[in-house]
Amino acid sequence: MTSRSKEQRHWGAQEIAEDLRGRIQAGEFAEGSQLPVTRTLVETYRTSPETLRQAVLKLKAWGLVTSRQGKGVFVRVIDPIEWHVHSFERGERRDDPARGVDDWKASIEELGRVPSQDTPVVTVERAPEDVAKWLELEPGSFAVARRRLRRVDGVPFQLADSWFPREIAMDSPLMQERDVTMAGGILRNIGHPQVRRRHIVRSWLPTDDEVKRLDLDPDATHPVTRHTLIGYGADGKPVRCMVTIAPGDRNVLIYDFEE
């Protein structure tokens, strides 16, 4: 701060937040760096700790900073991935069973990043209303859910929950709670290849469960994108729907189409 810090007036939370945002965007505080401690900022802006707290909450809502308990407030490091959805699990898939690398992991490696996936959780449960509709099941029907947390460079980047009709998934590798990789995909290997796909994209603010599973800042207001991929078999019936929850600041969804 230069002349502004010398002004003999008290700053409001909005003014402080706007000023700090300008300083961050100007590069005064680099990504990953720590903001000055509360006492210093209170003196600089001639304000109260509570007003400063409100200003920091605004910076969090804008997705500019994050708090680390007992350490302070830091400028967020944002390094999103480009997810080329149009080519995902299509054509010559990049599955490598020997290395345990499926098509998604291969796409992340092509970006020069490090992909990983937490141990899948498999359940048989009543399909939510939207899932039952996508799978063309009667309301209240049971389906198989295979839930995964996908990480990039160790950071949670996507929730990938795949749902299957019970008659397709039961007694198949889809029921195994481990990272199963098969050339061409599991569905093709168990006799239910996907021959047509439908993409449905919608965005909203994350739920409490999504905030927890993706380790999001609960004060941030960045939306998440819900990408639903419905796969249909040769008979035209759905064989899977995969619901991917992708935080908007960590994922860039790309579709390329030829004229």
Side-chain angles (χ1 to χ4, degrees):
M1 299 288 291
T2 54
S3 59
R4 290 185 177 182
S5 63
K6 299 177 181 179
E7 293 180 10
Q8 298 301 307
R9 66 184 180 84
H10 295 282
W11 290 61
Q14 183 69 29
E15 292 178 294
I16 295 170
E18 292 282 2
D19 191 70
L20 285 172
R21 175 164 64 178
R23 296 169 70 184
I24 291 171
Q25 293 175 339
E28 183 176 342
F29 302 117
E31 287 190 350
S33 66
Q34 183 178 2
L35 293 185
V37 297
T38 298
R39 180 178 177 180
T40 298
L41 290 177
V42 165
E43 292 177 351
T44 298
Y45 290 105
R46 301 178 60 81
T47 190
S48 68
E50 175 58 25
T51 299
L52 181 65
R53 188 183 73 83
Q54 293 296 325
V56 170
L57 286 176
K58 291 180 181 295
L59 292 174
K60 287 184 177 181
W62 296 335
L64 293 174
V65 302
T66 186
S67 295
R68 299 178 191 171
Q69 189 170 8
K71 295 184 178 180
V73 179
F74 294 79
V75 179
R76 288 190 62 218
V77 177
I78 303 175
D79 191 8
I81 60 169
E82 292 186 351
W83 187 25
H84 294 262
V85 186
H86 58 279
S87 60
F88 177 62
E89 294 187 352
R90 296 193 63 189
E92 294 296 325
R93 290 180 51 133
R94 297 155 287 187
D95 306 298
D96 185 349
R99 295 196 302 125
V101 173
D102 62 8
D103 195 71
W104 182 83
K105 289 182 181 177
S107 69
I108 301 303
E109 287 184 342
E110 290 176 355
L111 297 174
R113 311 287 289 274
V114 179
S116 61
Q117 179 174 277
D118 289 9
T119 301
V121 176
V122 181
T123 59
V124 179
E125 59 187 88
R126 295 188 187 278
E129 183 178 352
D130 50 1
V131 171
K133 179 180 178 181
W134 294 327
L135 291 179
E136 298 180 9
L137 301 175
E138 292 293 327
S141 296
F142 283 86
V144 172
R146 186 176 176 85
R147 294 185 170 88
R148 295 159 294 175
L149 172 60
R150 288 172 165 165
R151 300 176 183 268
V152 177
D153 302 330
V155 178
F157 262 64
Q158 296 179 355
L159 299 176
D161 296 349
S162 291
W163 294 81
F164 307 89
R166 283 191 301 168
E167 61 272 18
I168 288 178
M170 296 299 287
D171 301 318
S172 81
L174 292 169
M175 302 300 297
Q176 298 178 19
E177 291 192 323
R178 65 182 183 89
D179 202 352
V180 181
T181 302
M182 295 183 172
I186 299 175
L187 284 170
R188 179 174 296 278
N189 281 269
I190 64 175
H192 295 280
Q194 300 173 101
V195 300
R196 180 171 66 86
R197 295 167 176 80
R198 170 176 291 175
H199 298 267
I200 303 173
V201 181
R202 184 180 177 184
S203 297
W204 53 48
L205 291 178
T207 64
D208 290 342
D209 179 65
E210 291 163 355
V211 167
K212 181 179 179 180
R213 294 175 68 191
L214 287 163
D215 193 23
L216 303 177
D217 190 326
D219 295 320
T221 56
H222 279 299
V224 294
T225 298
R226 183 187 71 179
H227 173 267
T228 302
L229 175 61
I230 307 171
Y232 298 85
D235 60 359
K237 295 184 179 298
V239 295
R240 175 188 75 160
C241 71
M242 184 173 73
V243 182
T244 300
I245 302 297
D249 59 336
R250 301 180 189 176
N251 296 263
V252 179
L253 276 60
I254 297 178
Y255 290 85
D256 282 334
F257 299 98
E258 294 184 2
E259 295 295 336

